[in-house]
Amino acid sequence: MMFRIALAALLLCCFTTKLFAEGASTKPIQKSVVELKSFVDSGLEYIKKNGEAKAYKEFSSTNSKFRKGNLYLFVIAFNGKVLAHGGDPTNFVGKNLFSAKDKFGTPYFQLFVEAAKRGGGVVSYYWLRPDTGILQYKTSYIAPINNNAFIGAGVYKSFEMQQSQEVKINELKKFADSAAEYVKQKGAQEAYKEFNDPQGNFVKGDWYVFVINYDGTILAHGGDPQKMVGTSIADFKDEFNTPLLMMFVEAAKNGGGVVGYYWPHYLEKGAVRFKTSYIEPLDSQTFIGAGFYGN
């Protein structure tokens, strides 16, 4: 079964829907994540003071003190059952999201669980914005409540989900598919050599192919082969402490998917950009991928 993991730009200022521009310095982005975490922490404190039953009822009210524009809290049990939802309580409270995926197949619930189990973290995916019904990138901060459930809240990216973005993701998938097919036709050794060639057919502007083992060892890397090939990404995390290898392997094991994260732009020294990569398996131990950067 395929899924696509889309991680989006991270945004929020002063608990409102004021959004920052993509491509801005990572410092305002980090500040936004801190503020989003603070909002989630305020929900945790409310649970502690008032108990779960009262808190979940409050969180699920559309007139709740925890509803600030498009910002709201949700609580989900580790078994998938939604216990509270400030955005659309009628349709979500009581629903089981254990196998839920977004439009692009992102298994956002499973990513929520992973973030909660590491003590809290950021997850991005596509979601309908409550006030407009428009599909947009959404970034949520997730924190554990106890061993049974977690709490989260999220914010939306400042542009509408346009058809051109979906087209670009489909083009990226075709690019990765063509690289995987090249490995089958030419064999790993010749294919990796081609992927590592800056003048080769698999380096197109800031699009390039990379091949990585499930243990994290980089076998091919069209962006910076001299520096990257032979090294490991096992301990690599993006600007928001999200483990890259975990996301890549999850995508590969599920047949392929989109992963988004903040990463240094290899053509722009010192620039950290939001990057969308498509990952797919080559075999049981190796995956291949390619990506593009946001503006």
Side-chain angles (χ1 to χ4, degrees):
M1 179 186 300
M2 294 186 65
F3 73 81
R4 296 188 172 105
I5 302 180
L7 292 173
L10 299 167
L11 53 162
L12 180 68
C13 182
C14 303
F15 309 136
T16 72
T17 56
K18 180 179 179 181
L19 306 174
F20 60 81
E22 183 180 12
S25 164
T26 56
K27 289 184 179 179
I29 299 168
Q30 290 284 16
K31 179 175 181 290
S32 298
V33 173
V34 169
E35 291 170 345
L36 183 57
K37 180 180 181 298
S38 294
F39 182 65
V40 171
D41 286 345
S42 71
L44 286 169
E45 184 63 22
Y46 192 84
I47 295 171
K48 183 178 179 181
K49 289 182 177 180
N50 296 279
E52 293 179 13
K54 182 177 179 179
Y56 297 170
K57 183 178 180 180
E58 174 67 23
F59 299 162
S60 296
S61 170
T62 54
N63 295 316
S64 170
K65 66 177 71 175
F66 294 97
R67 179 67 185 266
K68 303 176 183 294
N70 288 302
L71 182 65
Y72 57 84
L73 291 170
F74 54 84
V75 177
I76 309 177
F78 283 107
N79 66 8
K81 184 179 179 180
V82 179
L83 305 177
H85 197 284
D88 190 355
T90 302
N91 288 322
F92 279 97
V93 174
K95 186 175 182 179
N96 193 292
L97 300 179
F98 189 85
S99 300
K101 297 176 176 62
D102 74 0
K103 175 180 171 65
F104 293 101
T106 303
Y108 57 86
F109 172 77
Q110 300 300 331
L111 296 178
F112 288 169
V113 169
E114 188 281 329
K117 287 185 175 179
R118 57 186 168 91
V122 174
V123 178
S124 295
Y125 47 102
Y126 283 100
W127 199 254
L128 291 176
R129 183 167 169 155
D131 60 343
T132 64
I134 294 173
L135 190 70
Q136 291 182 265
Y137 282 132
K138 184 175 185 178
T139 292
S140 292
Y141 184 84
I142 306 298
I145 296 174
N146 48 40
N147 292 329
N148 299 314
F150 57 84
I151 187 172
V155 289
Y156 295 86
K157 197 170 171 65
S158 58
F159 65 84
E160 296 181 4
M161 174 59 195
Q162 299 175 356
Q163 185 178 5
S164 59
Q165 181 73 5
E166 188 169 355
V167 169
K168 196 171 183 180
I169 290 174
N170 289 333
E171 289 175 352
L172 180 64
K173 181 182 182 301
K174 289 180 181 178
F175 184 61
D177 286 345
S178 68
E181 183 62 29
Y182 192 81
V183 175
K184 292 179 183 179
Q185 293 178 358
K186 301 293 185 179
Q189 184 174 0
E190 185 174 341
Y192 297 172
K193 183 178 179 180
E194 179 68 17
F195 299 159
N196 289 331
D197 183 357
Q199 307 302 320
N201 293 322
F202 291 93
V203 178
K204 302 178 184 297
D206 62 4
W207 290 37
Y208 58 83
V209 169
F210 52 86
V211 180
I212 305 176
N213 278 340
Y214 281 19
D215 66 4
T217 303
I218 299 175
L219 306 177
H221 194 285
D224 193 348
Q226 292 186 342
K227 180 180 178 181
M228 301 301 290
V229 173
T231 64
S232 174
I233 69 165
D235 297 322
F236 282 14
K237 297 180 181 180
D238 78 350
E239 283 290 312
F240 304 101
N241 210 36
T242 303
L244 297 189
L245 184 61
M246 177 275 296
M247 293 191 296
F248 289 166
V249 170
E250 281 297 312
K253 285 183 176 180
N254 282 271
V258 174
V259 177
Y261 48 100
Y262 276 92
W263 202 245
H265 196 298
Y266 85 106
L267 294 178
E268 302 176 23
K269 271 194 171 182
V272 176
R273 303 293 188 200
F274 183 74
K275 186 170 186 180
T276 299
S277 291
Y278 184 81
I279 308 296
E280 63 180 272
L282 279 179
D283 53 47
S284 62
Q285 295 299 319
T286 310
F287 60 84
I288 191 168
F292 61 79
Y293 293 89
N295 296 325

